[in-house]
Amino acid sequence: MATSIVLDKIVKRYGSVEVIHGIDLKIEPGEFTVFVGPSGCGKSTLLRMIAGLEAISGGDLLIDGERMNDVPASQRGIAMVFQSYALYPHMTVYKNLAFGLETAGYKKAEIDRRVRDVAKILKIEDYLARKPKALSGGQRQRVAIGRAIVREPKIFLFDEPLSNLDAELRVAMRVEIAKLHQSLGNTMIYVTHDQVEAMTMADKIVVLKDGNVMQVGAPLDLYNRPATQFVAGFIGSPKMNFVAGTVESADERGSVLTIAGRTVRLPGLAVAAPRGAAVTFGVRPEHLTVGGETGELLGDVTVQLVEHLGGETVLYTSNDAGDTLNVAVDGQLRVKTGERVPLRIDPALCHVFDGAGRAVATPVARTEARVA
């Protein structure tokens, strides 16, 4: 049965310096949760506290309702996969997988069964007699993951396991880990600074900044309804465009903002800010359109650079006020550097943040893909 994890006001201090500030979080049984955030936000420290590799300075860690603060790491039913493969170079793949079970006193037949079962799951049966130096980076990472699986833990912890791999291999391994979670059903926590990994793998994303939880939710919830400007800028690739603005009027029917000296009407988007308030207007590159008649006119921009990616065209543009606005358009758009183009927006897909970075208007309607 899958395992639940509860963090109740968890604090971490190094001397007088507090780096984790009273985090509350519940991870449901069988959930794939991703901790994401910039370097130094505390995501790996939090993971190590759950694993028992870092002492908890305050609060309680509960696994299936049992307090774990003082329980040794070896007794928590957790297996961890690190950024470095940490394989024994003088041992074969088989021996690397079996070593932990041997030291725990398992019988030879049980060890052999587990090792071969794991090797089959990870498709490394043909490499059992090899040593790590004879493996590729992806194969080594599979062995590192296999060493965790073979212990049959209740919880898997991954600390940026793909950061040493090249881009193509990262994508392949991302898929393999997601499939592994589907087949095993264990509770998994995955740490990464790569928001694309978070979006594509997670059931739940926990966005961290400076030792605090900024927002928790399903990937599309964070994408569609970011609670803060920080989350809006961190989730999504390419990242959201931000432009300074001023509220001219706002009521339940819609709002009017001045953006880069231009009056922009946002019908159906009520901004919870008084007239004259300074705000930040946000719109994702994929929610901007070039030309046409649909939506509200944001203004004309100058194209600084064009990236033709085949199925998508990315424009790097700037408005007359010097603000950078990136645009991602499906298909092959015929636009040249230096050209002036009009940008349009759907107000329902725009965001507005107040001076403290809090969302004061979020999309009220959007088109979502549905499977019949």
Side-chain angles (χ1 to χ4, degrees):
M1 182 178 291
T3 300
S4 66
I5 303 171
V6 175
L7 282 66
D8 183 12
K9 297 176 175 60
I10 289 292
V11 173
K12 178 61 182 177
R13 301 185 191 91
Y14 293 104
S16 61
V17 179
E18 187 171 291
V19 296
I20 300 291
H21 311 290
I23 287 180
D24 292 313
L25 179 67
K26 182 175 183 181
I27 298 171
E28 301 292 345
E31 199 167 50
F32 195 122
T33 298
V34 176
F35 294 168
V36 70
S39 297
C41 69
K43 54 189 181 294
S44 290
T45 299
L46 195 59
L47 193 77
R48 290 173 64 85
M49 293 166 73
I50 295 171
L53 303 178
E54 291 278 359
I56 296 173
S57 304
D60 292 318
L61 169 66
L62 307 176
I63 296 179
D64 278 345
E66 183 179 351
R67 189 174 184 271
M68 289 285 156
N69 293 43
D70 302 316
V71 175
S74 61
Q75 298 177 24
R76 295 190 182 189
I78 290 172
M80 191 163 179
V81 179
F82 297 92
Q83 180 177 345
S84 60
Y85 311 128
L87 303 178
Y88 298 110
H90 62 288
M91 294 183 182
T92 63
V93 169
Y94 185 101
K95 192 70 172 179
N96 266 281
L97 295 173
F99 185 72
L101 299 178
E102 290 173 349
T103 56
Y106 283 84
K107 293 183 179 180
K108 186 175 181 180
E110 174 66 9
I111 293 171
D112 187 69
R113 181 190 67 79
R114 290 198 188 188
V115 168
R116 296 192 182 281
D117 285 350
V118 166
K120 184 176 181 180
I121 291 171
L122 296 173
K123 298 179 176 61
I124 53 174
E125 306 106 301
D126 295 338
Y127 311 133
L128 291 176
R130 296 188 188 181
K131 291 184 178 180
K133 66 180 180 181
L135 303 176
S136 68
Q139 291 164 350
R140 292 180 193 179
Q141 191 56 270
R142 287 172 185 266
V143 177
I145 294 171
R147 194 167 53 185
I149 297 173
V150 80
R151 294 173 49 197
E152 298 182 357
K154 296 184 293 184
I155 301 166
F156 288 92
L157 306 181
F158 297 88
D159 191 4
E160 303 206 46
L162 309 184
S163 58
N164 291 332
L165 304 180
D166 62 48
E168 184 177 354
L169 196 51
R170 283 177 72 113
V171 173
M173 285 302 300
R174 201 164 71 205
V175 172
E176 292 301 321
I177 291 175
K179 289 166 61 177
L180 184 66
H181 174 251
Q182 292 174 4
S183 63
L184 296 178
N186 294 63
T187 304
M188 296 185 178
I189 305 176
Y190 187 102
V191 162
T192 182
H193 66 275
D194 185 337
Q195 60 87 28
V196 174
E197 286 185 8
M199 288 291 291
T200 54
M201 299 174 71
D203 297 319
K204 175 191 290 179
I205 295 177
V206 180
V207 182
L208 294 160
K209 179 187 179 186
D210 298 331
N212 294 292
V213 173
M214 303 304 291
Q215 191 171 351
V216 179
L220 289 181
D221 287 340
L222 269 60
Y223 175 87
N224 291 327
R225 291 175 287 276
T228 67
Q229 186 176 339
F230 173 81
V231 174
F234 198 86
I235 297 296
S237 181
K239 68 180 297 184
M240 184 181 288
N241 296 299
F242 297 113
V243 182
T246 304
V247 177
E248 297 300 327
S249 66
D251 57 33
E252 68 278 1
R253 294 170 298 175
S255 308
V256 178
L257 270 58
T258 297
I259 302 172
R262 181 183 180 85
T263 300
V264 179
R265 300 185 181 278
L266 303 172
L269 188 69
V271 175
R275 181 177 181 180
V279 294
T280 300
F281 172 81
V283 61
R284 297 195 182 280
E286 57 270 31
H287 294 156
L288 286 166
T289 57
V290 177
E293 300 295 331
T294 304
E296 299 295 318
L297 184 64
L298 186 60
D300 291 346
V301 295
T302 302
V303 177
Q304 306 292 342
L305 179 68
V306 181
E307 290 182 345
H308 294 289
L309 305 178
E312 180 183 54
T313 303
V314 179
L315 308 180
Y316 297 85
T317 76
S318 62
N319 61 19
D320 293 338
D323 300 305
T324 298
L325 289 162
N326 299 330
V327 186
V329 181
D330 288 338
Q332 300 174 9
L333 187 65
R334 301 300 181 184
V335 178
K336 296 180 180 180
T337 299
E339 191 173 338
R340 295 278 288 179
V341 296
L343 294 185
R344 289 187 173 272
I345 55 171
D346 177 351
L349 297 176
C350 297
H351 304 258
V352 182
F353 305 92
D354 64 14
R358 297 178 298 240
V360 291
T362 53
V364 294
R366 62 171 46 82
T367 301
E368 295 180 349
R370 298 184 181 274
V371 178

